[in-house]
Amino acid sequence: MQVSAGGLVSALMGVSNFKTMWVGWPGVYVEEGPDRDALTEALARENYLPVYLDPRTVDLHYNGFCNSVLWQLFHYIPLNLESKLSDTRTLNFQWKAHQEANRKFAEAVFDDYEEGDVVWCQDYHLMLLPALLKARYPKMKVGWFLHTPFPSSEIYRTLPVREEVLRAVLKADLIGFHTYDYARHFVSACTRILGLEGTPEGVEDNGSLTRVAAFPIGIDPERFQRALERVDVRSHIAELLNRYAGRKVMLGVDRLDMIKGIPQKLLAFEEFLEEHPEWRDKVLLVQIAVPSRTDVPEYQKLRSMVHEIVGRINGHYGTLTHVPIHHLDRQLSFHELCALYAITDVALVTSLRDGMNLVSYEYVACQSDNAGVLILSEFTGASQSLGAGAILVNPWNITDLSAAIGDALTMTEAERRERHRQNHMHITIHTSQTWAETFISELNDTHVEAELRTKHIPPQLEMDCVLRDFTRSKQRLLVLGYNATLTTAVEAPRQPKRHFDQIQAMTRVAPTVYNSIASLSNEPNTTVVVFSGSDKARLDETFGNLNVWLAAENGIFMRPPPDEVGDQEDWATMGEVPKKEWMESVQLVFDYFCERTPRSFVEARETSVIWNYKYADVEFGRLQARDLLQHLWTGPISNAPVNIVQGSKSVEVRPVGISKGLAMQRLLLAMAERNGIEACDFDFVMVAGHFLARDENIFTFFEGVQVKPAENQGRHLHHHQMHHRQGQATLSVLPETVEGAEIATASQLSGTSPGRPPTQTTQSNRRPARHSSAHTGPLLLHSHHRAYLREQAAQLDDRMQRRSIDGADGTFASDSDRDIEITSSRSAPETSYSMDSGPSRPSMSHSPLASAAPAASTTGGKGDSPPHQQHHPHSQQHPHSTRWRGRHSAEGPSANTHHAPTPTTSYSSFSSGLPRPLELPPLPMKLPPKHLYTCTVGRNRSQARFFVHGSTEIAALLAELADASSLGYY
């Protein structure tokens, strides 16, 4: 067996503290039979596990895709121009062979793998291996290390299979590079090509973090020092010193490769001899060019070029007794190379692009006595490690390289020894053993951290369990998201290879999904709800003819299914119609940034505006998004009742108090009113969607967790303070004072005349709400909901008492009025509210009740306000002075009644004497239900119980459920 040449072999030979099994190609192909078994057994004794690849696969995989495509690209050599169709087909064959070779390696690993083993994949030949290993064993510890440079994203993106290769590598737990520059280029490629998020730790893909770090490789310096102590090596050193006596020896040891810069080295030496005639008989360059890939035409051409330059220099500057260049086209033995290192005065490493180049390390290890000078190319990875003691050069600048040769030959001994001391200290500390131990230790730590993160990741949804519980249940509720759940997610920023019509088709519901939903919605005991942030028109277009409940724009608008005779109701507003004064100014800001950010676009909906940059350059889009937020905070929304929702590649401005959990709570009440409480007693609930984090309270709502204003940010006031320090703005959001309103009594809900004074209720006899809601009020419900409210309110009469409101009472509008508005006050002074107070929105969260200060002022009549509010242009937006006035219907018993003035309290500071929250009737179902499946689609950082990879799995699940329903398996 013969040891291969190269820095990777040199480094890995120093790894000795691990029980290692080497998996690799043995260099020959042996047919199955006794000969292969004998070779396998002989290699196993040396801890080698062979992977037998047939000659065609080796040629297409190793010589083809690895060396002709990946190696060239990683060393900044452009891909060959494919001028013929056969060249394109050849590349396809090479890619398939590369995939097949990686599969062979994976099968070999599986045969020898035991739980707890660490699999360390080496170099660009096995970039697909991490994905194959993780597919079989998700908890396997997998690391991958690249021993070449990794190019900038602009170079790497020319690779035809760029996405497939990157995604396969990212399945590894830890990815290592020689230098920080290479790691930075890799993260940038993942960000710009895949649209993933780059962090200081690595690359994050929807909650899964792949650690990316720099691990400078080293050698085993003691191995070289032990070799120098051998008798035969010392004898060879003495022989070389005698032969080269009186001359300075310069040495170059390279593979005969295009990126090693051998021609540049020879040209610089030629210029040095031309400019310094005095050195022509005093200096000698020994160049060892180890042959590689001798059958490749480009390498044959390079060899001819090198021989031509060597012959020209020796012919011009040589004499009968001396030639300036000794050129060898062969590989030296290890001990011969150590002796040559020891007698060399100057080592020349002029690589045009090199991952690390360990020749420089080997030279320093053998120079303890001589303290020779190292001339090192700045394009090698070693330049970042040995740059302090070496002379760094740009090999493309022949003049500077020639000057560096002169400086090295004339350098004083003191400077030489100081430079050598720094380099020798580095190679003795950062050895190959240290490199391996550091990588393995970091891999173990990364794997532990990944396991800790996965504890917070929901498990994969098991369709068999869903199907079983679905068929056994009596009443089912299916709540489905629209975008990226029923449609295909189109998130990749680089989609020019797809036609626009294809992208548009991906954003539509597939016919199979549509048919499944249609089948499920026609089942009498199955209710289907489709939630979407999109507008009403899109949902109408897709599901307008189906028997499903639709919720558009994150639940602001709701449309029930057609009734029994097929009549379709109009869209209804779930809550108060938000103010829209801010939308025009926000639209202008978004349009401005849309012009500044190519491939970004603006979505204007009825109640929100979204700026999306998922097709733009990711890095530039994020910079623009930060700038956009600064513009919004300091301008259009500084005093507006809106929330900013930041998606992965979007910025949305929507009214406060909007979330899917809050809308689902209201939607259940509407279902109960329409279909009856019994029909809404769901014992099976499945909620699946690709929701933003702020909308995931729809998951926790079904768990029985109260939807709080703090979760949906349904606060009615936002006090923004912008502090400009050193040209940067920071946002401060202060908490609001008013958090709720009085619980309405049953008599008020049933329309009792306001002339009858309710009984005063003190804090001590107030009962806590058994079912409370976090509606941001005033709650606006359509007239067909009010009958249900009054029916449920009658059940509260035996539990609740009327409340006195300082001589005024709270009434609800009659059925003729479209909106229900609540006037709230207490015997103790409280804050009053106003529906038309601009950005002021009452929030319905719980808060402890305490005594409040006496009322500051009282006003009468609709539209009046306290004096201090009249003088302040933004008084109704101030967090310490908010009004909520009641409006009564023009019909009913109270139409012509003169009402008492509505009391108003203004607080000068935050007070704990806050009103009680509004309580809606109890929900018509038990929470959590007997069978609950909350599923996050594509986002594994979630509060859901289960995780689903994408819309394809949702489509398969819906098809299974539809088939089970149609066959009557319940």
Side-chain angles (χ1 to χ4, degrees):
M1 289 186 292
Q2 181 181 0
V3 178
S4 301
L8 171 59
V9 176
S10 177
L12 294 179
M13 288 184 66
V15 179
S16 58
N17 287 359
F18 302 99
K19 182 182 178 181
T20 306
M21 174 64 72
W22 299 93
V23 182
W25 176 54
V28 295
Y29 179 72
V30 182
E31 296 288 347
E32 293 186 8
D35 292 341
R36 175 182 286 192
D37 295 339
L39 178 59
T40 302
E41 184 179 351
L43 292 173
R45 289 193 293 267
E46 302 293 333
N47 291 329
Y48 295 136
L49 183 62
V51 178
Y52 295 102
L53 303 175
D54 61 85
R56 183 177 184 275
T57 302
V58 170
D59 182 60
L60 292 174
H61 158 67
Y62 184 77
N63 295 326
F65 191 79
C66 292
N67 289 340
S68 298
V69 179
L70 291 181
W71 186 91
Q72 291 192 93
L73 199 65
F74 286 2
H75 288 85
Y76 290 79
I77 301 175
L79 298 178
N80 293 329
L81 178 63
E82 297 175 353
S83 57
K84 296 179 296 182
L85 182 61
S86 58
D87 294 335
T88 302
R89 291 174 176 173
T90 299
L91 179 60
N92 293 333
F93 291 145
Q94 292 173 347
W95 168 242
K96 292 179 180 178
H98 182 67
Q99 293 174 303
E100 178 62 25
N102 277 262
R103 278 193 291 269
K104 292 281 188 181
F105 271 84
E107 293 171 0
V109 172
F110 295 149
D111 292 340
D112 196 68
Y113 173 74
E114 297 179 0
E115 186 176 355
D117 290 348
V118 175
V119 181
W120 192 0
C121 309
Q122 304 289 338
D123 228 2
Y124 56 91
H125 311 82
L126 301 175
M127 295 185 76
L128 305 182
L129 187 56
L132 298 173
L133 298 177
K134 285 288 191 176
R136 175 79 67 88
Y137 297 101
K139 294 187 177 181
M140 179 188 290
K141 299 178 183 178
V142 179
W144 181 77
F145 194 91
L146 181 64
H147 294 269
T148 68
F150 193 90
S152 68
S153 59
E154 292 303 307
I155 297 294
Y156 177 81
R157 68 192 299 179
T158 61
L159 182 66
V161 288
R162 57 192 184 184
E163 294 96 343
E164 293 86 340
V165 172
L166 283 180
R167 291 193 183 279
V169 172
L170 286 174
K171 296 300 181 182
D173 298 299
L174 177 63
I175 298 176
F177 298 91
H178 285 308
T179 68
Y180 172 75
D181 287 344
Y182 305 157
R184 178 171 53 85
H185 290 164
F186 177 81
V187 173
S188 177
C190 294
T191 301
R192 294 183 177 275
I193 296 174
L194 299 181
L196 303 180
E197 182 178 357
T199 68
E201 291 77 22
V203 179
E204 185 173 354
D205 182 7
N206 194 27
S208 299
L209 178 66
T210 299
R211 182 77 192 281
V212 180
F215 302 90
I217 201 172
I219 61 172
D220 182 10
E222 294 182 358
R223 176 168 173 256
F224 291 85
Q225 293 169 3
R226 289 193 301 267
L228 293 176
E229 296 174 359
R230 291 171 55 97
V231 177
D232 55 341
V233 174
R234 287 186 174 275
S235 174
H236 192 39
I237 290 175
E239 179 183 352
L240 292 174
L241 289 174
N242 182 56
R243 173 171 298 184
Y244 301 141
R247 297 175 184 172
K248 292 284 187 179
V249 179
M250 298 195 302
L251 175 64
V253 180
D254 308 279
R255 283 186 298 108
L256 187 60
D257 211 316
M258 292 175 290
I259 56 97
K260 293 300 182 179
I262 298 177
Q264 285 79 3
K265 182 190 309 182
L266 298 176
L267 292 176
F269 184 57
E270 182 180 25
E271 182 173 329
F272 173 77
L273 295 178
E274 178 69 25
E275 295 180 354
H276 300 84
E278 69 276 10
W279 281 99
R280 294 176 183 176
D281 294 333
K282 299 178 182 179
V283 64
L284 171 69
L285 172 62
V286 179
Q287 177 61 52
I288 299 174
V290 181
S292 65
R293 304 182 66 187
T294 55
D295 57 335
V296 179
E298 288 80 2
Y299 286 77
Q300 296 172 357
K301 183 179 179 181
L302 174 64
R303 182 179 181 182
S304 300
M305 180 191 299
V306 170
H307 287 179
E308 178 186 351
I309 298 175
V310 171
R312 185 178 70 241
I313 295 174
N314 285 340
H316 190 271
Y317 300 105
T319 64
L320 292 176
T321 57
H322 165 72
V323 289
I325 299 178
H326 287 192
H327 182 81
L328 284 78
D329 278 331
R330 68 180 183 89
Q331 182 177 357
L332 299 182
S333 68
F334 174 68
H335 295 113
E336 288 178 329
L337 187 60
C338 289
L340 190 55
Y341 279 146
I343 62 98
T344 298
D345 297 294
V346 179
L348 280 170
V349 179
T350 58
S351 301
L352 306 181
R353 187 73 60 175
D354 221 341
M356 179 57 76
N357 195 295
L358 295 180
V359 169
S360 56
Y361 281 61
E362 296 172 357
Y363 172 72
V364 172
C366 296
Q367 283 289 314
S368 299
D369 297 332
N370 196 29
V373 181
L374 174 64
I375 298 178
L376 186 59
S377 168
E378 63 186 35
F379 297 110
T380 63
S383 64
Q384 298 192 17
S385 304
L386 304 180
I391 299 177
L392 297 183
V393 295
N394 176 7
W396 294 99
N397 191 330
I398 304 301
T399 301
D400 285 354
L401 182 54
S402 173
I405 293 175
D407 294 339
L409 293 174
T410 59
M411 188 177 294
T412 63
E413 182 178 0
E415 183 178 355
R416 287 192 290 109
R417 294 204 172 274
E418 175 59 25
R419 287 176 176 268
H420 172 74
R421 183 190 66 79
Q422 296 184 28
N423 288 341
H424 191 267
M425 180 175 61
H426 178 86
I427 69 167
T428 54
I429 295 176
H430 300 88
T431 64
S432 58
Q433 187 64 43
T434 302
W435 166 74
E437 290 176 350
T438 303
F439 187 92
I440 298 300
S441 175
E442 193 69 27
L443 177 58
N444 289 326
D445 293 343
T446 301
H447 195 266
V448 171
E449 294 172 1
E451 289 183 343
L452 294 177
R453 285 194 302 271
T454 55
K455 289 183 178 180
H456 304 286
I457 295 178
Q460 182 73 22
L461 178 67
E462 297 183 5
M463 295 189 182
D464 293 339
C465 296
V466 178
L467 188 62
R468 179 197 62 203
D469 293 337
F470 179 83
T471 56
R472 294 177 181 177
S473 58
K474 298 179 180 179
Q475 293 293 334
R476 303 112 169 220
L477 174 64
L478 303 180
V479 182
L480 305 172
Y482 180 77
N483 295 318
T485 304
L486 301 180
T487 63
T488 303
V490 188
E491 293 293 339
R494 301 297 175 194
Q495 297 289 349
K497 60 185 180 183
R498 287 196 178 97
H499 194 270
F500 180 75
D501 292 340
Q502 293 177 287
I503 298 177
Q504 288 296 102
M506 297 174 70
T507 62
R508 300 190 181 100
V509 177
T512 54
V513 176
Y514 180 88
N515 294 335
S516 299
I517 295 177
S519 176
L520 289 168
S521 62
N522 289 330
E523 292 297 322
N525 61 340
T526 302
T527 303
V528 180
V529 179
V530 177
F531 257 100
S532 176
S534 302
D535 52 24
K536 298 179 290 185
R538 177 170 294 184
L539 294 184
D540 263 332
E541 177 186 0
T542 307
F543 304 104
N545 299 324
L546 298 187
N547 188 33
V548 299
W549 291 77
L550 301 179
E553 300 204 21
N554 298 297
I556 294 182
F557 302 106
M558 179 272 294
R559 201 207 69 178
D563 56 20
E564 296 179 355
V565 296
D567 293 336
Q568 179 63 67
E569 297 186 27
D570 294 333
W571 286 87
T573 304
M574 301 280 287
E576 179 186 356
V577 179
K579 301 285 185 179
K580 302 180 182 179
E581 292 84 355
W582 52 270
M583 293 189 67
E584 182 179 357
S585 56
V586 171
Q587 176 85 38
L588 292 175
V589 175
F590 280 4
D591 289 341
Y592 171 70
F593 278 88
C594 188
E595 295 174 359
R596 293 178 54 184
T597 312
R599 303 182 73 181
S600 66
F601 57 94
V602 178
E603 298 178 72
R605 299 170 181 169
E606 190 169 338
T607 59
S608 63
V609 187
I610 302 174
W611 179 69
N612 199 312
Y613 58 94
K614 63 183 178 181
Y615 300 121
D617 181 271
V618 179
E619 293 291 339
F620 184 62
R622 287 172 182 162
L623 292 174
Q624 292 291 79
R626 286 196 287 267
D627 195 12
L628 180 144
L629 292 176
Q630 299 262 345
H631 281 72
L632 290 178
W633 286 333
T634 56
I637 67 167
S638 58
N639 290 306
V642 296
N643 288 329
I644 299 179
V645 182
Q646 289 186 258
S648 59
K649 299 176 185 67
S650 64
V651 177
E652 178 182 2
V653 179
R654 65 167 74 162
V656 296
I658 295 176
S659 72
K660 290 181 172 63
L662 189 60
M664 190 69 239
Q665 192 172 3
R666 294 169 173 172
L667 195 60
L668 284 174
L669 296 177
M671 289 181 186
E673 177 208 354
R674 178 186 175 93
N675 303 328
I677 295 180
E678 295 77 8
C680 296
D681 189 15
F682 301 108
D683 56 346
F684 176 92
V685 174
M686 187 184 78
V687 186
H690 181 82
F691 300 138
L692 296 175
R694 62 161 284 119
D695 288 324
E696 286 202 341
N697 54 10
I698 193 173
F699 296 145
T700 57
F701 165 73
F702 282 104
E703 299 283 359
V705 178
Q706 179 186 358
V707 183
K708 299 179 181 179
E711 296 174 357
N712 60 56
Q713 299 184 11
R715 297 170 176 172
H716 65 285
L717 288 174
H718 282 248
H719 187 182
H720 303 283
Q721 292 181 338
M722 305 302 301
H723 302 282
H724 295 271
R725 297 193 182 110
Q726 298 179 356
Q728 296 183 354
T730 59
L731 175 67
S732 174
V733 181
L734 302 181
E736 293 76 17
T737 55
V738 182
E739 295 194 7
E742 289 284 352
I743 300 178
T745 64
S747 59
Q748 290 172 325
L749 286 170
S750 59
T752 305
S753 172
R756 181 179 177 182
T759 306
Q760 180 176 350
T761 304
T762 62
Q763 178 179 343
S764 60
N765 59 16
R766 285 194 177 108
R767 298 182 182 180
R770 298 192 330 189
H771 299 276
S772 58
S773 131
H775 294 275
T776 57
L779 176 66
L780 282 79
L781 298 177
H782 289 273
S783 57
H784 64 272
H785 295 158
R786 296 195 182 97
Y788 174 69
L789 287 175
R790 294 195 176 93
E791 177 185 350
Q792 296 297 320
Q795 302 175 12
L796 304 178
D797 273 330
D798 59 296
R799 294 183 284 125
M800 306 180 67
Q801 299 181 7
R802 302 172 189 168
R803 313 197 175 186
S804 75
I805 316 177
D806 284 345
D809 20 312
T811 62
F812 277 79
S814 65
D815 289 348
S816 62
D817 192 9
R818 185 172 177 82
D819 299 335
I820 295 181
E821 304 181 10
I822 304 172
T823 301
S824 171
S825 58
R826 297 167 40 192
S827 56
E830 298 184 14
T831 304
S832 61
Y833 302 78
S834 174
M835 279 192 61
D836 55 350
S837 59
S840 303
R841 295 283 193 275
S843 174
M844 303 301 173
S845 64
H846 284 286
S847 61
L849 295 176
S851 60
S857 62
T858 303
T859 61
K862 184 176 180 178
D864 295 337
S865 59
H868 68 278
Q869 291 184 340
Q870 295 174 355
H871 294 298
H872 197 287
H874 301 292
S875 59
Q876 293 184 348
Q877 300 171 359
H878 197 278
H880 309 319
S881 177
T882 307
R883 293 175 48 80
W884 181 17
R885 296 189 303 271
R887 184 177 66 199
H888 302 280
S889 171
E891 302 179 8
S894 59
N896 299 321
T897 306
H898 177 73
H899 299 286
T902 303
T904 302
T905 300
S906 300
Y907 294 104
S908 59
S909 61
F910 293 108
S911 170
S912 61
L914 302 177
R916 292 282 301 275
L918 172 69
E919 179 178 309
L920 287 181
L923 292 174
M925 63 176 293
K926 178 183 177 181
L927 295 179
K930 182 178 180 180
H931 304 297
L932 176 61
Y933 291 90
T934 56
C935 316
T936 176
V937 181
R939 295 182 69 255
N940 57 16
R941 289 186 300 178
S942 173
Q943 301 181 65
R945 291 187 177 187
F946 301 98
F947 170 72
V948 176
H949 286 286
S951 58
T952 304
E953 296 183 22
I954 293 295
L957 176 59
L958 293 176
E960 292 283 347
L961 297 180
D963 291 342
S965 295
S966 62
L967 295 175
Y969 290 154
Y970 51 87

